[in-house]
Amino acid sequence: MAAPQRLTDRKRVAIVDAAIAEFRDHGFDATSMDRIAATAAVSKRTVYNHFPSKDELFAEILQRMWESSVAQPAVPYVADQPLRPQVLALVEQKMVLLCDAAFIDLARVIFGETIHSPERAQAMVARLNEKETGLNIWIRAAQQDGRIKAGETLEVAHLLMSPLKTFAFWPQITMGEPLLGPARRREVTELAVDIFLCYYGVAKQTA
């Protein structure tokens, strides 16, 4: 994503970056707008001009996380191509995101606050979950073509992503473990794809 050109846009980005850092290091409740302003090197008035409350700042962080997760180009379902390379491409995209330090910082802030104050995040997370993702679109197309077993699309997508999150997300979020290296990333990616296709894959019928 290109860097913002206008000064006001750059200040807004700086404020959100500062909020992420402060929420991560000190928690939502212990972080003041004064602290965010100081970290962003802007005035408190500038912070309030962009975000009237910490709740709105938190909502912006959730929005940034969503935008990061959907910024990758969609992988189209191709009916006459093998399933494994297509699923592999989908999972590799997600793995790139899960191995991005900035995305993990976002997630750490969001999930940390969700644990301590679930009501703050529930409504926004529910709205984000309603948005269609490229993964869900691919799964639905493959199901309609009879090559992936029928099932609730969101649940099928969660099951595909579960091995990735087991090794490349939750340990980093909860235990501060390092991001996976290239060899381990490939190993986990292929494991997720093989488990998924073993259960959900349907062989293409030929005439």
Side-chain angles (χ1 to χ4, degrees):
M1 183 174 65
Q5 298 300 312
R6 296 191 306 163
L7 178 60
T8 184
D9 293 334
R10 294 199 299 271
K11 286 183 177 181
R12 184 181 181 89
V13 170
I15 292 165
V16 176
D17 288 343
I20 291 168
E22 292 298 328
F23 292 162
R24 178 196 63 213
D25 294 341
H26 306 288
F28 184 91
D29 291 331
T31 295
S32 67
M33 296 295 250
D34 288 307
R35 185 190 290 272
I36 292 170
T39 301
V42 300
S43 69
K44 185 176 178 180
R45 179 178 180 180
T46 298
V47 174
Y48 277 109
N49 282 342
H50 286 277
F51 302 101
S53 69
K54 284 198 297 181
D55 283 320
E56 292 201 22
L57 254 173
F58 187 72
E60 182 74 10
I61 292 171
L62 279 168
Q63 183 64 31
R64 184 184 284 196
M65 185 177 183
W66 167 258
E67 290 172 353
S68 296
S69 69
V70 299
Q72 300 147 313
V75 175
Y77 170 71
V78 184
D80 61 354
Q81 294 296 316
L83 283 181
R84 193 175 191 278
Q86 297 183 60
V87 180
L88 194 61
L90 288 163
V91 174
E92 284 173 343
Q93 275 195 344
K94 297 298 181 181
M95 184 61 87
V96 168
L97 191 64
L98 295 180
C99 290
D100 180 84
F103 180 80
I104 292 298
D105 260 358
L106 283 173
R108 188 176 289 119
V109 168
I110 290 167
F111 285 101
E113 188 53 32
T114 301
I115 290 170
H116 290 102
S117 182
E119 66 281 358
R120 180 171 286 122
Q122 280 177 349
M124 179 63 75
V125 170
R127 287 199 295 273
L128 295 181
N129 281 339
E130 289 173 359
K131 297 185 178 181
E132 192 77 298
T133 68
L135 175 59
N136 290 355
I137 292 170
W138 187 96
I139 289 172
R140 186 174 298 110
Q143 287 176 323
Q144 290 171 349
D145 196 31
R147 299 183 70 194
I148 293 294
K149 288 181 183 177
E152 201 280 316
T153 305
L154 188 59
E155 181 178 301
V156 175
H158 283 328
L159 290 171
L160 174 57
M161 292 296 107
S162 289
L164 270 66
K165 292 182 179 179
T166 297
F167 297 105
F169 184 74
W170 292 118
Q172 290 71 24
I173 296 295
T174 60
M175 303 297 292
E177 291 190 10
L179 302 179
L180 300 188
R184 184 59 173 157
R185 285 169 59 176
R186 184 69 183 181
E187 187 177 275
V188 171
T189 297
E190 293 188 349
L191 174 69
V193 172
D194 290 340
I195 290 173
F196 177 78
L197 290 177
C198 181
Y199 182 78
Y200 278 107
V202 178
K204 185 75 171 178
Q205 297 297 317
T206 57

